[in-house]
Amino acid sequence: TTTPPNRSPAAPTRRANGPDSGPSRQKNGVRGSGFSDEGAAPQPEFIYVALYGRGLVRYDPESDSYAGNGLVSPLPLREWHGFSMVSCGPFLYLIGGITRGKWTGAVFRCDTRDGRFESLPAMPTARRRCAAVVASLPRETVERQPRK
């Protein structure tokens, strides 16, 4: 077989991210979550794009195409934008932002396997344009940190 243009022939590699997460893999020079159990075949990796106020679209870098030429899931709040979005395992977390002209502390989790959103406890303070990151830390490390 031949390697398509602009694609790396590098083989996937795996590493453990911690007790609660699946393996990661190296693909086309980008490390990402494989969403699979240890020893199982890595699952496809996708990029989710939030269309503010509308919904999520899914891009497949391997086929260089978007799923279904439209939304894979509508957003759970009307006119929602300015939120932060981060992935952890098969879930996308959408945090804060503005809905209907008001700041919100809303937090939702989208299961990328079926596109459904679940409401999570809101942040104590409404935020817009906040930032989020996933940190793979052992739970006992986080629980030992002093609270201010």
Side-chain angles (χ1 to χ4, degrees), residues 50-139:
L51 301 178
Y52 287 178
R54 294 192 49 221
L56 300 175
V57 295
R58 183 179 64 223
Y59 174 71
D60 181 352
E62 195 161 300
S63 67
D64 194 25
S65 65
Y66 287 88
N69 294 324
L71 298 178
V72 293
S73 185
L75 293 177
L77 298 176
R78 290 183 50 193
E79 301 175 23
W80 194 19
H81 59 91
F83 52 83
S84 181
M85 186 167 73
V86 65
S87 68
C88 186
F91 301 104
L92 300 175
Y93 292 83
L94 285 69
I95 305 160
I98 301 171
T99 181
R100 297 182 182 179
K102 294 186 178 182
W103 293 18
T104 181
V107 179
F108 285 89
R109 176 172 66 186
C110 177
D111 189 330
T112 60
R113 296 167 292 195
D114 62 15
R116 294 186 183 179
F117 279 93
E118 172 187 2
S119 179
L120 299 177
M123 293 186 292
T125 303
R127 304 275 184 202
R128 71 177 180 109
R129 298 183 185 160
C130 59
V133 65
V134 173
S136 298
L137 302 172
R139 186 163 298 281

Side-chain angles (χ1 to χ4, degrees), residues 15-19 21-22 24 31 88 133-139 141-142:
R15 71 174 182 83
N17 278 340
S21 60
S24 290
R31 184 178 57 78
C88 186
V133 65
V134 173
S136 298
L137 302 172
R139 186 163 298 281
T141 302
V142 174

